[in-house]
Amino acid sequence: MTRRILRQPADLIAAGLADENRRADFDAVAQRYSIAITPAMADLIDPTDPHDPIALQFIPDAQELIETPGETADPIGDATHSPVEGIVHRYPDRALLKIVHACPVYCRFCFRRETVGPGSEFLTGEKLEAAFDYIARTPQLWEIIITGGDPFILAPRRLQDITERLAAIDHVKIIRWHSRVPLVEPERITDEFVAALSTSTKAVWISIHTNHAREFSHEGRAAIAKLSRAGFPLIGQTVLLRGINDDVATLDTLFRTMVENRIKPYYLHQGDYAPGTAHRRTTLAEGQALMRNLRGKLSGIAQPTYILDIPGGAGKVPVGPPYLDESHVEDPNGTRHPYPPQGEH
Ligand SMILES: *Cc1c(COP(=O)(O)O)cnc(C)c1O
Ligand code: SF4
């Protein structure tokens, strides 16, 4: 068992997770993008399976160096809505607070791949004060979404400090954390960690990023149970990924596994136009077909909304599939019915 985070192509090869023959590819990708695989995720990889859904999410691939039309460093236009460093304020009632640039794992399809990575890691000092100041003087901010990077890599003491600072702002009613940590590095979810997030009477929601049921190790499930028992509502975010989770059976199992672990599937994200991610992006029609298939056979509480973040920063919208036109509605089996119903006189 590997016990430290693997960050170099040589580490991946030494751990038996990647093939020496692909060394040149790994080195080329490592020049451009960050790499990290936690022990919990490394333990789940079956190196003999070329389609292993954990490996495909975290082991670099030469296809990441192929950029296609439309791909940009800032696919969802964070920069166009950033009034001060670390804040992205696109919608009236809520804003992102990007507190840290680093993550415990680096997803090969990350939509912020040009900005995440080790290095200038934390929003601290004057920059952090300026971000808090913006939140404090913007009374329409009802909710603060803390993201990054992955904010759950911070020490409990810092999480507590952030929670208390935000909770002290009267108009901030909701504190929402976005993280992959509960599944990819479950050992971080200690009692001290949970206590740090619990120091406020404001509602604290946690959104857990997960793309495959295989990520739910015994330790990951225990970490999630701990968060759930502490009273945090848990919602789940999934990225639709070609070759990793873009089939009905895989999504059905994933969404059920989330609900079994008390996570409400919230969004299924259409892949953003981040550089070098075309090989993982599905079409919208493919995503709609998957959603259509799940509707009717999968419990309503296990159904996420299929979401597109409009390139450039115009916001997130549900992208179907549509069930209605002017005169008909389609049922879950694909049969069309007149609507409004035809009265008989
Ligand atoms: C995604 C996002 C949010 C959160 O959107 P919800 O639909 O509330 O989950 C908020 N602000 C920005 C800038 C975002 O990109
Ligand atoms: S955890 Fe999130 S921010 Fe970090 S690499 Fe993965 S997708 Fe990107």
Side-chain angles (χ1 to χ4, degrees):
M1 279 221 298
T2 42
R3 293 277 50 110
R4 61 192 178 88
I5 294 184
L6 306 171
R7 298 185 183 277
Q8 302 297 332
D11 299 338
L12 303 179
I13 293 164
L17 298 177
D19 192 339
E20 174 75 54
N21 297 330
R22 289 171 61 202
R23 179 63 190 259
D25 290 348
F26 295 148
D27 287 338
V29 175
Q31 294 275 321
R32 171 102 199 249
Y33 300 113
S34 306
I35 296 170
I37 304 181
T38 54
M41 289 296 103
D43 287 350
L44 294 178
I45 293 176
D46 172 3
T48 65
D49 177 2
H51 306 292
D52 184 284
I54 309 295
L56 293 180
Q57 290 188 67
F58 305 123
I59 305 276
D61 189 300
Q63 293 182 92
E64 292 173 51
L65 299 172
I66 303 169
E67 291 190 28
T68 59
E71 292 180 345
T72 62
D74 184 16
I76 66 168
D78 281 351
T80 53
H81 293 88
S82 183
V84 299
E85 190 174 336
I87 296 278
V88 184
H89 190 183
R90 175 181 295 141
Y91 305 107
D93 72 333
R94 59 208 190 277
L96 308 184
L97 172 59
K98 295 200 276 187
I99 200 92
V100 54
H101 290 292
C103 301
V105 286
Y106 290 105
C107 312
R108 307 325 304 164
F109 48 86
C110 175
F111 67 126
R112 295 204 177 104
R113 60 187 330 204
E114 300 285 346
T115 50
V116 299
S120 61
E121 293 191 13
F122 306 109
L123 197 66
T124 50
E126 279 173 26
K127 287 177 178 170
L128 183 61
E129 291 311 313
F132 280 129
D133 180 60
Y134 179 82
I135 296 167
R137 65 185 155 82
T138 310
Q140 71 267 37
L141 285 175
W142 171 81
E143 178 183 22
I144 299 300
I145 299 162
I146 307 154
T147 178
D150 194 321
F152 278 5
I153 65 167
L154 296 175
R157 193 183 43 74
R158 295 221 44 218
L159 296 175
Q160 177 165 343
D161 185 50
I162 294 160
T163 304
E164 287 172 354
R165 297 272 316 254
L166 291 175
I169 300 170
D170 227 25
H171 54 263
V172 174
K173 306 296 186 196
I174 310 293
I175 299 170
R176 186 197 326 174
W177 300 86
H178 276 221
S179 179
R180 280 201 92 154
V181 162
L183 288 168
V184 303
E185 207 179 12
E187 56 271 37
R188 282 189 180 272
I189 313 300
T190 59
D191 292 342
E192 187 193 6
F193 180 101
V194 171
L197 295 184
S198 310
T199 50
S200 128
T201 54
K202 299 277 174 80
V204 174
W205 287 59
I206 299 176
S207 173
I208 296 173
H209 172 179
T210 173
N211 303 319
H212 198 284
R214 280 268 313 281
E215 295 166 26
F216 285 73
S217 64
H218 179 73
E219 293 75 13
R221 289 171 194 259
I224 286 165
K226 210 174 232 186
L227 295 171
S228 169
R229 275 200 304 272
F232 306 118
L234 305 178
I235 58 177
Q237 299 207 92
T238 298
V239 184
L240 183 57
L241 295 165
R242 182 180 294 290
I244 295 177
N245 63 15
D246 65 332
D247 63 275
V248 174
T250 300
L251 290 179
D252 183 289
T253 306
L254 170 63
F255 297 143
R256 285 183 201 278
T257 303
M258 288 163 78
V259 173
E260 288 163 19
N261 285 275
R262 302 180 183 79
I263 301 168
K264 163 76 186 98
Y266 172 54
Y267 281 168
L268 175 66
H269 291 275
Q270 170 65 11
D272 294 313
Y273 274 75
T277 60
H279 59 297
R280 292 287 164 233
R281 204 157 46 238
T282 68
T283 63
L284 279 173
E286 288 166 328
Q288 290 176 332
L290 289 165
M291 291 300 293
R292 207 180 272 283
N293 248 291
L294 292 170
R295 177 57 61 184
K297 74 176 210 194
L298 177 64
S299 166
I301 61 171
Q303 305 263 356
T305 303
Y306 182 33
I307 283 283
L308 172 69
D309 216 320
I310 300 171
K316 293 179 177 69
V317 285
V319 280
Y323 288 89
L324 270 180
D325 63 26
E326 241 112 86
S327 56
H328 286 79
V329 59
E330 189 177 323
D331 71 27
N333 300 316
T335 307
R336 287 161 54 80
H337 306 270
Y339 193 89
Q342 307 293 299
E344 290 188 24
H345 300 275

